[in-house]
Amino acid sequence: MSFVVEVDRRFPVRQGLAGGAKARLVPGAAIELRVTVGVAFEDDQLDHLGRYFDTDAAAEQVDRVCADLAGHVWTDLFDFRPTFELVARHLFERLAPEIPQLAFVRLRDETFGSRTCYRPRF
């Protein structure tokens, strides 16, 4: 792989889990989350204008898929325990069919400074 282009979005979410560093939060309180997706591609995939994919379209797809993350408490939204690890994998699985050559999905808890990255094995 020669290039990785990243697209990210930031918004407040309410994870709904207690414990760890987040124990200082009232259950359901908002934290700032940054979702970053990375697309990997080779030199020979660039078009005649020096581009491979449309970052604006990818940003719209990320916005659409992540809209529920900001609109609901995660413990109410998912049928699994919504750890950052499982949510990152869930987002990757939802976005991969829409964003060719998706390489990773990274979640960054901007409030507490932790990062979780899901990169599948190919």
Side-chain angles (χ1 to χ4, degrees), residues 8-9 12 18 27 38 53 56 58 64-65 75 82 89 91 96 117 122:
D8 66 25
R9 288 291 187 259
F53 85 110
D56 292 339
R64 184 181 47 73
V65 169
T75 51
R89 182 177 65 194
L91 292 176
C117 185
F122 292 104

Side-chain angles (χ1 to χ4, degrees), residues 3-77:
F3 297 98
V4 175
V5 174
E6 297 181 1
V7 173
D8 66 25
R9 288 291 187 259
R10 183 177 174 180
F11 48 90
V13 299
R14 294 172 294 141
Q15 188 180 20
L17 297 178
K22 293 177 184 70
R24 295 182 303 238
L25 285 177
V26 174
I31 60 171
E32 287 294 314
L33 182 72
R34 182 178 302 271
V35 175
T36 304
V37 300
V39 175
F41 53 95
E42 301 292 339
D43 285 308
D44 62 0
Q45 292 181 277
L46 295 173
D47 66 14
H48 68 286
L49 297 174
R51 300 176 301 200
Y52 171 67
F53 85 110
D54 183 348
T55 55
D56 292 339
E60 288 176 11
Q61 291 168 325
V62 172
D63 287 343
R64 184 181 47 73
V65 169
C66 292
D68 282 342
L69 296 182
H72 298 88
V73 176
W74 289 8
T75 51
D76 296 336
L77 182 62

